[in-house]
Structures are given as structure tokens and as C-alpha cells.
Amino acid sequence: MKITFPDKSVKEFDRGTTALQVAESISSRLRKEALVAEANGRMIDLSRPLNEDTELNIYTYKDAKGQEAFWHSSAHLMASAIMKLFPEAKLAIGPAIPDDFSAKFYYDIDLDHKLSESDLEAIEAEMQKIVKEDQVYQRKEMPRAEAIAYIKERDSNDRYKLEMAGEFEDETLTFYSHGDFIDMCRGPHIPSTGKIKAFKLLTVAGAYWRGDEKNKMLQRIYGVSFPSKKLLDEHLGRIEEAKKRDHRVVGKALDLFSIAENIGPGLVLWHPKGAIIRNLIETTWKDMHIRDGYDLVYTPHMARLKLWEISGHADFYTENMFKPNEVEGDLYQIKPMNCPFHIEIYRGDIRSFRDLPIKYAELGSDYRYERSGVLHGLMRVRGFTMDDAHIFCTPEQIHEQILEVCDLSIEMLKLYGFNDFHIYLSTRPEKYVGEPEQWDMAEDALRKALEERKFEYDVDEGGGAFYGPKIDIKIKDSIGRLWQCSTIQFDFNLPDRFDISYVDSDNKAKRPYMVHRAILGSLERFFGVLIEHYGGDFPIWLAPVQVRVLPVVDEVNEYADELVEFFKSAGVRVESDLRNEKIGYKIREAETGKIPYMLIVGKKELQEGIVSVRKHKQGDTGSFDPKEVLAEVLRKIKTKTVD
RNA sequence: GCCGAGGUAGCUCAGUUGGUAGAGCAGCUGAUUCGUAAUCAGCAGGUCGUCAGUUCGACUCUGAUCCUCGGCUCCA
């Protein structure tokens, strides 16, 4: 039979040769590292004999598909250790989760005993033994009826596996075993447990069976595994690094924001230093919107409940809204969104096709009820400010408008040092409002914009909201995590509900297209992402304090004051540290305070009228004329240099 | 909301089997005037998240409640 490799080369093998043997024929190293294979587009175990002409791809840990199998096999390894220690446990599901930042696999188990840290250690020790024994992962196929009987025979109460076995489309189910452990599983798996050289169980957490809160809550153990100790240590190091960058930790250390118990969960206080950054983000945002022809508007934080009944939010969004307030017999609702307000402004006049596009932009503060368990620092809050805008336009204008929004998003995100974007196009779901032709046109417009800009994007078929298709842009931060920020969404619902229109050139009233869009998402979340992206080391244009003057002895305090005045009068955020402390101490404080420029002045600098410049994280850079330093600082601020 | 873990000084944390609390940093006072990441000494600082209960006595045990953290679900 012929085996075709990814590089299109073809080799002849005997029937019944396994993928592993093929790997060995290529190189002994590949044999050692091979984990799984893909035969004619289907993932298989290396031990599977090949019986016909096959396009074969062999994966090692270097490949995403190899990793996935590796982590899934690790989940089985963990499950087998759990079953050894707690034979009464029932297994639910245990997949690999390659996209998760810290964990790489988990297993959901139903067990009355509450697992603790020490249990995790015991499980790890048991896993270690199984790894040492280098048990082989073996595949077994059974027709459905036989499989169900087999599961029942092993444990008549194994409701999770039985439920799944009854639902799979395939009539043939597969099981994988290693040692005396066996689990229903599609596979594929790596050859043996011995390949899993390094692993760590991270946490145990609750998770509902099938993610549905009506179901029983199971215990989920998260873990990571690697083919070497070195890779595990690197991974754990990255987790540590992420912890150091945690916006809640940095936000506290740098006094940027807080969430006070007396004020309420999910409600953010922006402290002076955080407010400086927010203000810069806001003015930059406003300037760019005015440039792009948006009209800035302001709208109130609440409205009659009636407004939300018209918009439909009172019906389909109640879950996320705070309860309305009664005022003089009328109910008022604090807003979870800004759209109906912008629509009301649009409705306030008869609009001609000549007026379009109309683009209302607002940094609109919204309040949404989020369940207490989901709140997370600045990333998920109950009160937030969306950098919102609504575009009302004619069908002919859509293309240009979408392009403009895409360009604005990318341009603005790049200002903050984000250069890696992951873009998703979500299309019509099963349940939707509006006409299919409208949807097609809108999806086309979104697709065309992405293609015209040569953006790579993934399509989430059926992933759109019921009211329209959308583009989401996620940004990758400096340590590789993805964050959802920009969203561009068509809306075929609200224009109908509010019956908005424009008069076209044929003097007929027509329905405008409406697009919601946010670029930063919410200022709170964006700030959180920004803090983690920079780890608190903000570029100079954003730094709350840009320059600090540090006198070595108090004889030069007056010179320090002069320098502060000199920089301040040029608009630089500058301060001095005149305390009676050693220079080493002042420097340490300025470094931990992440201040970009430290101007150190002593007797020498006073005499010569110069400053010694120390840059954050770079150290001493030498002595300069203050005018030169100011010019450099101003240039960096003006160009929003990110370094 | 649910499962699990927490809440002790401004911050980070320690507190053994119930006998009314400790450290480091920060703060204040004083000494020190110093050259690129922590000078020394002294002082002050706490209803041990909140409310009940058990007990002669509760930071410690029990219950309720608020908040935080890790997840589930959802999303800006």
C-alpha cells in the first residue's frame, strides 16, 4: 500500500504496518517523539495498522494535535489514579483544553468525598507510579448495545457514561484502557503513560454536569502535563509571571483603582492615578471619533421601563438587568445598554438619505446584573463604561462604514501596543429576526471588509446574536493571552421595534441599517487588560507620573524644585522626592512605582546645570542637559511611543 | 446563583490543643546628608469581615450573613 506524507512524498509499505512503524522508518527520533497520527484526515493511534493507501501525518508534542492527545491521555492518567484511590468515584468527562492559559486538561468526577490539596498530592503520587509502569494505551471497539451492557456490567450506576453512550451518533463506541483502567473515549491516545514525564494538578473546582446548573455539581480537577520537567517548569513560571501581572495586584500596588465593600461588588473606584490613564484613553478616543465623523452624545443612566419594553430588553435581557425603581407610580430602569437612547436621538427628527450615515458615539455607563460568582476584578463588573457607538446608514454605505470601523479599531488598539489580533466572524444562528437577504448582505459586508484588509479570521457559523451577524476582535497581550475587546454587530431587531426610517431619494421611507460597535469593549476591562499587558510598566504617554526628580542631598532641593517647574510648565506629569532618604531608597521606590524617568541630581548636577537620567528597568543612562531630556520626553508623549 | 477555599494593623502574612493578638513593609518622631533597587533607633497602630449562639472565657467551636479568590454559566 502507498503511504503519502505531508510533503507529498510517497512510500510503499506492507499492509498492516502501523503508523508507529512508519514513523520508525523515517527516523528513530520521530519514533521516540511520535504521539498520534492522522490517516486520511482522521486522527488515529500510532498502534493502528494501516490497510490501504493512506495520507499519513505523524504528530509529536511540537504539534497542536500531538499536544491535544498528550493532554487528553494525561486526563486518563489522572482518572486512573483517582479510581485507584477512590474506587467509588464516577467519571464524567475529561478533555484536553489547549486554549486555557494555565491548565491543559481536566476531569469531571462525581465523588462524595470533598477533594482537598492533600488529595491532589496523593493523586499525583499515584499518577507517578502509573507513569513509571509505562502502561500502554489500548483501544477497544464495541457496538453500542454491547458497550452499554459493558458499562453497566462494570458499574450499573455509571449514569454519565451511560448517558453519553446512548447519545453518540456512531453505532460503534470505543474504549481506551491502560493497566486495569478503562474509559469510554473516542481517542486517539499517545502510545503509553511513560511519555508523560512531568505533570502537576493545579486546582479542584466545581462544575455542573454538561455545564447546566440544573444538573448535579461535580468536582473538576485541572492539571497540566509535559514531556519534560523543563517544559513544566517553564509553564509554571509563566503562570507565576501572570500572577505578578494580575491587574488586581498591580492595581493595588500602584494605587490605580479599588472595589470597596461599602460601595458594592463589581462597582469600580478609579483612583487618581488610574483616572489619569482613563482620561488619556477617553480623550484619545474622542479625538479619533470626531476625526472619523462621529457625533459625540451623552445620555442618562436610566429610562422608563417602557423604553426597555419597546426595545425588547425587558423581555430577553431581564436576567442581566437590575430591578426597576418606582418613581411617582412609574417604573424606571437603570440602563444595561446605550442603544435605545441613541435610537431615540435618531428618532427625534425626520432623517433624509442625505443625512446618513449618522454615527452617535458615547462613553456610556451601563449597569448589568452579573451573578456574584462571575465578578472578576475589572474584567467582569456590574457597572462599566462602554466605548459605544451606533451607526445608522443606507445599504450602499455599509461596506465603507464597516471598513472604517475595522480600521479605527486596529488603529486604536495598536496605540496601546497590541499588534496581534484574532478576528472572528459570527453568522446567522438558527433563531433570528430579520430577512435572510438582509443577513446575507450584512455577513457579506463583514466578510468583504475583513478580506479587503487581508485580515485572517475564523468563522463561527451560527454564532451570531439573534438580531444580527458580528465581527469580534480579540487582542493578544504581552504574555500571549487573548482578550475580547472590539465588537461590530449588525442589528435587525431594534430598527424594527423602534420603527426608525429615513426618506430615500425616491421619497419613500426606508429602514436604515444599524450597527453597534465598541472598540475597547469597556473602559474597565480594557484598563484591566492594559495593566496586565504592560504589567504596570505603562509607556510614558500613559504613565500617571512620567518623571520624578530625586535629589541626592537636600542642598540641591531647590534645584529639584526648579526642574519640576521646568517640566511641569511643559505639560509633563512630574514630581520630586525631597524626603530625607538615601538615593538608593528613593530609586528603589521610583522603580517599584514604575516611573519611566528618574532625574537624579546632586552637587555635580547642580554645578553644571545637568541631570543624571535613570530610566525605569534600564538603569543609569548618563548625564544630560535638562532641555534635551524634556525634548525627548515630550517627543515620546506626543508620538505615544510604546517601548 | 452553585461547588470549594478564604477574610487577623494601611499592605503582605504568622497565630500551636479555646485563656481577650504578632512580624516585615508602610506611617509618625528623632538621629543621619548619603551618588543609582531598602541607614539606624524609638513610637504609634487591631471590636481578628459582620451578627447571633455554645462556654466561666471565643481570633480559635457552631449557625447565619456580607465580601474576596478558583471554577461552572454568561459576556463589554
Side-chain angles (χ1 to χ4, degrees):
Chain A
M1 64 179 172
K2 289 188 177 68
I3 300 291
T4 312
F5 296 97
D7 62 359
K8 301 285 173 232
S9 64
V10 178
K11 266 190 181 173
E12 189 72 32
F13 287 89
D14 293 337
R15 276 173 188 278
T17 308
T18 65
L20 187 62
Q21 287 165 329
V22 174
E24 183 163 34
S25 78
I26 299 170
S27 81
S28 60
R29 213 182 113 228
L30 182 61
R31 181 194 191 281
K32 246 180 96 185
E33 292 182 8
L35 295 173
V36 284
E38 186 175 26
N40 296 330
R42 278 190 63 193
M43 296 303 295
I44 60 161
D45 299 314
L46 293 171
S47 58
R48 237 175 322 145
L50 304 169
N51 290 313
E52 55 188 272
D53 290 353
T54 308
E55 279 185 36
L56 188 71
N57 214 335
I58 292 165
Y59 296 108
T60 69
Y61 188 79
K62 289 192 192 76
D63 310 295
K65 285 175 179 170
Q67 290 182 351
E68 194 162 341
F70 188 85
W71 290 322
H72 185 201
S73 296
S74 304
H76 273 229
L77 166 65
M78 178 172 78
S80 65
I82 293 168
M83 295 307 288
K84 268 237 165 75
L85 295 170
F86 306 97
E88 72 279 19
K90 293 186 203 329
L91 300 174
I93 50 169
I97 41 171
D99 294 336
D100 193 89
F101 179 73
S102 56
K104 291 301 172 189
F105 63 85
Y106 67 79
Y107 219 115
D108 282 350
I109 56 168
D110 185 357
L111 177 64
D112 288 336
H113 170 78
K114 302 282 176 235
L115 292 165
S116 65
E117 295 274 307
S118 58
D119 290 319
L120 293 190
E121 281 166 32
I123 295 167
E124 281 179 352
E126 199 59 43
M127 287 168 73
Q128 204 60 260
K129 283 188 212 160
I130 300 168
V131 167
K132 277 230 176 75
E133 287 168 20
D134 196 16
Q135 298 175 355
V136 174
Y137 286 99
Q138 282 174 316
R139 180 188 168 89
K140 206 179 275 181
E141 290 186 10
M142 281 180 221
R144 187 199 301 273
E146 195 183 314
I148 290 175
Y150 178 71
I151 296 168
K152 276 190 185 157
E153 182 195 315
R154 288 179 59 88
D155 179 356
S156 57
N157 287 322
D158 194 348
R159 64 188 202 85
Y160 306 106
K161 296 292 171 188
L162 284 171
E163 193 175 319
M164 285 188 278
E167 288 174 8
F168 286 135
E169 282 178 18
D170 265 351
E171 278 309 316
T172 305
L173 306 188
T174 53
F175 290 80
Y176 274 84
S177 65
H178 62 271
D180 45 21
F181 173 82
I182 187 158
D183 190 11
M184 183 173 70
C185 170
R186 176 179 291 148
H189 279 280
I190 63 174
S192 65
T193 59
K195 301 236 177 234
I196 304 168
K197 300 248 189 283
F199 56 83
K200 181 156 181 60
L201 303 186
L202 300 168
T203 50
V204 50
Y208 299 103
W209 166 235
R210 304 206 143 165
D212 187 337
E213 60 187 273
K214 288 187 206 80
N215 290 335
K216 181 164 186 185
M217 180 155 279
L218 310 172
Q219 298 190 74
R220 174 174 296 179
I221 303 178
Y222 284 95
V224 282
S225 62
F226 294 91
S228 75
K229 174 99 173 31
K230 188 173 156 249
L231 288 170
L232 174 67
D233 289 343
E234 280 172 14
H235 181 82
L236 295 177
R238 273 196 298 278
I239 294 177
E240 276 306 307
E241 173 62 23
K243 267 191 196 156
K244 273 190 225 146
R245 286 168 175 267
D246 189 316
H247 70 281
R248 295 164 299 185
V249 176
V250 175
K252 176 133 220 148
L254 298 184
D255 196 19
L256 301 173
F257 72 93
S258 66
I259 294 170
E261 194 166 333
N262 279 339
I263 294 193
L267 301 171
V268 179
L269 297 171
W270 293 70
H271 292 203
K273 286 181 176 164
I276 285 173
I277 296 173
R278 173 166 175 164
N279 204 9
L280 289 161
I281 294 171
E282 288 188 357
T283 49
T284 305
W285 187 90
K286 286 179 188 168
D287 289 348
M288 291 171 90
H289 280 73
I290 291 168
R291 180 200 68 191
D292 274 11
Y294 286 81
D295 296 314
L296 300 185
V297 298
Y298 293 92
T299 65
H301 287 198
M302 60 198 296
R304 284 207 157 96
L305 183 59
K306 189 182 160 206
L307 179 78
W308 307 103
E309 283 162 357
I310 297 170
S311 72
H313 289 103
D315 181 31
F316 63 75
Y317 209 69
T318 31
E319 292 280 289
N320 286 295
M321 303 199 318
F322 281 99
K323 292 278 166 286
N325 260 311
E326 201 205 288
V327 181
E328 295 181 348
D330 217 350
L331 289 173
Y332 283 79
Q333 171 69 52
I334 192 158
K335 68 174 170 180
M337 292 186 180
N338 310 304
C339 350
F341 297 82
H342 292 186
I343 290 179
E344 284 296 330
I345 298 175
Y346 180 94
R347 268 162 48 89
D349 203 347
I350 294 177
R351 306 294 175 180
S352 153
F353 72 98
R354 295 181 210 278
D355 300 327
L356 303 184
I358 287 175
K359 307 190 284 189
Y360 295 139
E362 176 180 16
L363 295 164
S365 296
D366 297 332
Y367 295 85
R368 297 184 185 173
Y369 166 67
E370 299 288 354
R371 297 193 292 177
S372 53
V374 307
L375 299 173
H376 178 87
L378 294 175
M379 302 304 191
R380 191 114 188 110
V381 293
R382 285 184 175 157
F384 59 94
T385 299
M386 209 194 295
D387 68 313
D388 211 356
H390 295 92
I391 297 167
F392 303 91
C393 67
T394 67
E396 297 74 38
Q397 292 166 333
I398 278 174
H399 175 66
E400 194 193 347
Q401 289 305 312
I402 298 294
L403 264 188
E404 190 185 275
V405 173
C406 287
D407 290 347
L408 180 62
S409 293
I410 301 294
E411 182 192 359
M412 198 180 302
L413 294 169
K414 280 188 172 171
L415 276 184
Y416 298 96
F418 299 108
N419 294 303
D420 199 344
F421 308 101
H422 286 236
I423 303 178
Y424 303 83
L425 171 68
S426 302
T427 61
R428 189 169 69 218
E430 278 179 30
K431 274 187 149 181
Y432 64 95
V433 297
E435 301 305 316
E437 305 84 62
Q438 289 180 313
W439 278 81
D440 291 344
M441 177 167 178
E443 285 173 16
D444 265 3
L446 294 173
R447 207 181 300 264
K448 256 203 227 143
L450 295 177
E451 270 155 25
E452 204 165 317
R453 286 297 178 260
K454 299 197 165 44
F455 292 143
E456 279 183 31
Y457 62 96
D458 292 327
V459 179
D460 181 4
E461 289 292 350
F466 75 89
Y467 52 79
K470 62 172 178 175
I471 289 174
D472 289 321
I473 303 177
K474 291 189 183 182
I475 54 181
K476 199 176 213 178
D477 73 13
S478 57
I479 55 172
R481 293 168 305 176
L482 289 175
W483 301 96
Q484 152 97 56
C485 289
S486 307
T487 182
I488 305 168
Q489 311 187 345
F490 274 87
D491 193 327
F492 299 125
N493 184 42
L494 292 179
D496 274 356
R497 283 177 161 270
F498 282 90
D499 191 25
I500 57 172
S501 61
Y502 66 94
V503 181
D504 207 353
S505 54
D506 57 6
N507 199 31
K508 291 209 172 103
K510 295 197 180 146
R511 189 80 77 216
Y513 274 74
M514 177 177 173
V515 175
H516 310 256
R517 41 109 293 183
I519 292 170
L520 307 175
S522 85
L523 293 181
E524 283 73 10
R525 173 187 287 178
F526 188 72
F527 189 36
V529 172
L530 208 54
I531 293 169
E532 305 212 355
H533 178 58
Y534 288 123
D537 298 322
F538 294 107
I540 192 162
W541 77 278
L542 287 170
V545 177
Q546 295 165 318
V547 176
R548 185 181 284 174
V549 183
L550 312 177
V552 179
V553 290
D554 54 17
E555 284 168 60
V556 298
N557 282 358
E558 214 170 289
Y559 181 46
D561 286 339
E562 283 170 27
L563 286 166
V564 167
E565 264 320 301
F566 179 62
F567 278 80
K568 191 180 262 174
S569 62
V572 176
R573 294 187 292 276
V574 59
E575 61 185 29
S576 58
D577 184 350
L578 304 183
R579 293 175 303 171
N580 176 11
E581 295 289 353
K582 287 190 164 180
I583 193 64
Y585 182 79
K586 294 183 183 182
I587 285 169
R588 182 185 153 78
E589 294 232 315
E591 286 284 355
T592 54
K594 300 174 183 296
I595 293 164
Y597 276 66
M598 288 155 267
L599 306 185
I600 291 150
V601 292
K603 288 175 198 158
K604 191 183 97 189
E605 284 79 6
L606 171 63
Q607 273 163 21
E608 299 176 31
I610 54 171
V611 291
S612 170
V613 178
R614 181 187 169 103
K615 292 183 188 168
H616 177 49
K617 287 189 137 177
Q618 287 177 47
D620 193 358
T621 62
S623 298
F624 301 91
D625 184 328
K627 283 194 201 109
E628 263 180 70
V629 181
L630 178 62
E632 180 179 302
V633 167
L634 289 177
R635 181 180 53 74
K636 285 191 180 179
I637 293 172
K638 191 165 177 228
T639 56
K640 298 183 166 52
T641 303
V642 176
D643 57 11

